[in-house]
Amino acid sequence: VSFAFLSVEATASAGGLVTASLDVVARSPMERQARAAGARFEVRGGWNVAVAYDGEHERLQRSVGWSDASHLTKLELSGPPPLSLGYGTGTRTEDGWWLPMTRTRTLLVDAQNGAAEHLGAAALDVTTAFGALILAGPLARETFARFTALDLRPHVCPPGAWRPGSVARTPGGILCLAEDRFLMLFGAALGQYVWTVVSDAGGHLGGGPVGADALVREEAGAGA
Amino acid sequence: VEILSRAPALGFFDGLVPVWQGDTLHQVRAARHIAATGTLEPPLIFPDNDLPGVMLAGGARRLAALYAVRPGETAVVATTGDRGLAAALALHAAGVAVGAVADLRHDAGGGELAERVRAAGIELLPGTTVVRALGRQKVTGAVLGRVNAAGLADPATLRELPCDLLAVSAGAIPSTSLLLQGGAKARYDEATGRFVAESLHEQVLVAGEVGGFEDADAAELSGQVAGAEAAIALGKGETEARTELRDAKARLAERPAPSPVATPPAYARDGKRGGKAFIDLDEDQTVKDIAYAAAEGYDSIELSKRYTTVTMGPSQGRFSQLAAIRALGAHTGLTPAEVGMTTARPPWVSVPMGALAGRPFEPAKRSSIHGRQREQRAHVRWAGDWRRAYDYGDPQAEALAVHESAGVIDVSTLGKLLVRGPDAGELIDRLYPNRFSNLKPDRVRYGVMTSDAGRIMDDGTICRLDAESFYVTTTSSGAAAIEEWFGWWLAAWDLDARVTDVTQGLSAINLAGPRARDILAGLTDLDVSAESFAYLDARRGPVAGVEALIMRIGFVGEVGYEIHFPAAYGEHVWDALTAAGARPFGLEPQRILRLQKLHVIVGQDTDSESTPYTAAMPWIVKLDKEQDFIGRWALEHAAERAGETSLVGFTMVDGHVPTEGAVVHADNGGPLGQVTSSRRSPQLGQVIGMAWVPAALAADGASITIRDEGRDFAATVTTKPFYDPDGEVLRS
């Protein structure tokens, strides 16, 4: 059976060519807010991705930056996961981040090419069902503290910790990607709302939006 | 002028006034503040003053005069001023028998109100007050008498009067807390027996009762004076403001002086044993508790307060402070002025901690097309937890466009579940009274979900994608609950099926109208001819280059396609459809269109008692189904008995649009049912609606009477859709 109607990838790889229109671009639920904040966009993998903002480097160094990551592929697996997962812990493999939601429901986030194929019918593309923001910088935890009660202190939420729960009074979850770097998931329809909440909380701390490329550069810099 | 309603001021912090409104804390810094905080009516203190049936005269008056509620059958009123007299008259007018009014003033005020009380035939007892309430579980009577300065009654004057309502008033205390927080001084006014504020903060003006302006005209004039003084202080409209100030002051000076009041004793009593006299009903503090505090040496109100906790309850001394001061004075020999008031502290009203310290969160769901709809001048309203386009400025024209050409409505808010697995059909068959396991792939069927009790919970469509996959839509408001419902029963039955909620991942657009097919044909390679893509068929394929699931269904009554696709392409597909000629329409025109087809909205046209049988959908229940299903037992019983009421359509005879909720009534005036939906249909040129009526009236042509806004309107029942009753248009 074809579930292509669920998938951006299906349209990007085939459907979009039917009309040969460059306009067939997937857009994040926060694209309008990102654009209003001065984002520069590039089409990547069929998505219009906010890649850069002015002043983003300083935000990441001194305060907090948030980057729209809604384009990351997300698969939902029903049934027992194919690998052992600990409750409250995300597991990174070459397929992506495995995030246990319940004993029989798992999200695979940032799913890499080929993951869907080898997981077969158990996996469903739910990329567009979730909005995603990456918060990074020395004040990322402080920003979260202003809209969620999830305990993100370093000794209880180290890199790899996965905290499903209430985020700004909506169902969501937070994955600690690295020290001072977090991925937050939430319902896609709440994108504008969550962007507003994060902007309000982080803006008071001197933070602001950052592009996807700035995070890559920052990570590479930290690695170096 | 911005008016903040339901927004109390919490305090006065050196010019900053925090104002609490819902989740918002406004921080108001103004050059001038006008306080119109009114007065509070304290109770009288006497034995057994806590019995049910003892209430404030102001409350009794409000119930009778404002809400037409009689708080008792027989009342006795005890008062120290005109408030009690006014309450007595209101109770009398509401049909309450007022046995007597005990007015502590020796001449009962000597004014017009006293005359009106007498003229109403109510016994007025000047110089008298209540000295005991009678009864055990509730008030059954009151003892009235003349008392001395200490509150002890002269036995020769005692009278017992039966009553089930004892309305009491100890006058009116100015609500001075905000003024005192601003630095004003409290002064005990011997003439009125209450504390007033003076030496106000330079930025503060007063108006109304808190400033001693009692009647409505004086209160209004005092507001004009305060407003003009504030304007002059700010240098605004100086000439006008000065003229207004002069005129208002002159008229205010002509107003009669406030009516006299008597100062009640600290504790009025008949001298007999028994009965507690409560001073603070919040904290269960009595006259005796204050006496103990005084005997222990707590002779200051601040110390006594902390010893007894009087004034420290939820009402923060609003009703008890003055009584506590009088009682403490009575037991220490101090005057009220010497006892003094407790310190006024914010907040003036109870306020959630979240409003002070938290961030206000108001999660709003928006479809991926929301931004575009706003650009297209959509009027947006709340619909459950979604923000939705209600209309685009002309709902009637939008509805007509669907009939005459084509329209598009964003229905992304529909709940959407993907049910997969070998037992997917079994699961759905067990959850719905209809049969779905025999549904062929790429076909769609309407489903009504019922509770264990056979009552309608939700509705939507079920599309079979293949042997083991179904795509289920639910109502927008029911999405979360139905997903939970699926999950609960799946766990209970241990079936091999998986349910995935894709509500927020998919956009959905309903394209409908005589041009819908042509518009769709221009945007897809699929064969959308009537022969190849029939009513209740489903197809998967690209629309405007976007992979989509298209279901041919017709909620609005015209040839229609519901197009579901990844939400990330919402604006793209919407733009393609509108560019091809489809006019956006909102929720309001959709409601007109669906009403023409008598399509129900669950929760609006149905209630917690509605079954598929009473809601005129018996065909949806398949009692011959092999599977047991939720609500089967109840529906079997419902099938055997005719319901008392039925959901029908109606047309109004005279064109009046009845209020939704208006009563359908019988000739004798008794209620028979109610209107659930009503609209003016531009297509039909009629006012149409749906209503619950007695089953005997659920017949074409039956006449019903609808009472709305105090008038009766005739309507005619119909049981078939108003538009395209046989579905020929829909299926074409």
Side-chain angles (χ1 to χ4, degrees), chain B residues 6 31 45 51 72 127 149 222 272 323 336 396 418 451 525 531 579 584 632:
Chain B
R6 296 179 185 272
I45 312 301
L51 279 172
S222 70
K272 296 178 182 173
Q396 298 267 310
L418 209 54
S451 67
D525 297 335
E531 298 74 30
R632 177 175 201 142

Side-chain angles (χ1 to χ4, degrees), chain A residues 196-213:
Chain A
T196 306
V197 168
V198 172
S199 297
D200 180 46
H204 284 88
L205 299 171
V210 299
D213 289 354

Side-chain angles (χ1 to χ4, degrees), chain A residues 15 27 32 78 121 128 189 200, chain B residues 359 366 375 420 498 505 545 568:
Chain A
R27 300 183 188 280
R32 284 172 175 267
S78 301
T128 56
D200 180 46
Chain B
R359 289 175 180 276
R366 295 174 176 86
E375 290 168 354
R420 298 177 294 153
R498 303 180 291 275

